[in-house]
C-alpha cells in the first residue's frame, strides 16, 4: 500500500501514515528496518494487525522525500 507520513516523532520512535485507502496506520521504529521517516514523505508499506490495532505498518520504503537518511543519520547518494 502507498501512503504519506502525517506525523513522526523521532524522540518517541513512532508515527502515522495516511494510507491510500483513507485509513491511518501506526508505524513503530522497530518496523522501519533502517529507513528514515519524516512528515510529508511518500512511502510504500505492508499492513498488519496485532492485538492493539487493525491498522499497523511495516516494511516501510520511502518513495519520495526531499532527503533520504538511514536511522543512523547517514545520507543516501
Amino acid at each position: 500500500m502507498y501512503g504519506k507520513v502525517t506525523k513522526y516523532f523521532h524522540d518517541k520512535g513512532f508515527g502515522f501514515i495516511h494510507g491510500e485507502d483513507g485509513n491511518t496506520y501506526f508505524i513503530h521504529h522497530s518496523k522501519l528496518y533502517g529507513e528514515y521517516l519524516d512528515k510529508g514523505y511518500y512511502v510504500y508499506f505492508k499492513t498488519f494487525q496485532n492485538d492493539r490495532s487493525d491498522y499497523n505498518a511495516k516494511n516501510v520504503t520511502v518513495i519520495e522525500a526531499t532527503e533520504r537518511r538511514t536511522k543512523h543519520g547517514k545520507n543516501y547518494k
Side-chain angles (χ1 to χ4, degrees):
M1 179 172 308
Y2 293 93
K4 193 171 196 177
V5 178
T6 55
K7 293 181 184 177
Y8 194 79
F9 305 98
H10 295 278
D11 57 332
K12 297 178 182 177
F14 70 88
F16 301 94
I17 300 170
H18 183 75
E20 63 187 343
D21 63 354
N23 292 313
T24 299
Y25 293 85
F26 176 82
I27 180 66
H28 190 264
H29 72 90
S30 65
K31 302 293 185 195
L32 291 178
Y33 307 111
E35 285 284 11
Y36 178 88
L37 291 187
D38 227 339
K39 181 180 177 180
Y41 282 20
Y42 186 64
V43 297
Y44 175 78
F45 62 98
K46 303 273 185 184
T47 63
F48 73 99
Q49 298 175 351
N50 64 18
D51 58 343
R52 298 182 79 188
S53 173
D54 290 342
Y55 302 103
N56 297 285
K58 66 180 180 179
N59 299 343
V60 177
T61 302
V62 175
I63 303 297
E64 184 178 315
T66 55
E67 180 179 319
R68 291 188 62 188
R69 297 181 185 168
T70 65
K71 67 180 177 179
H72 302 293
K74 295 180 181 175
N75 295 335
Y76 288 121
K77 291 185 178 183

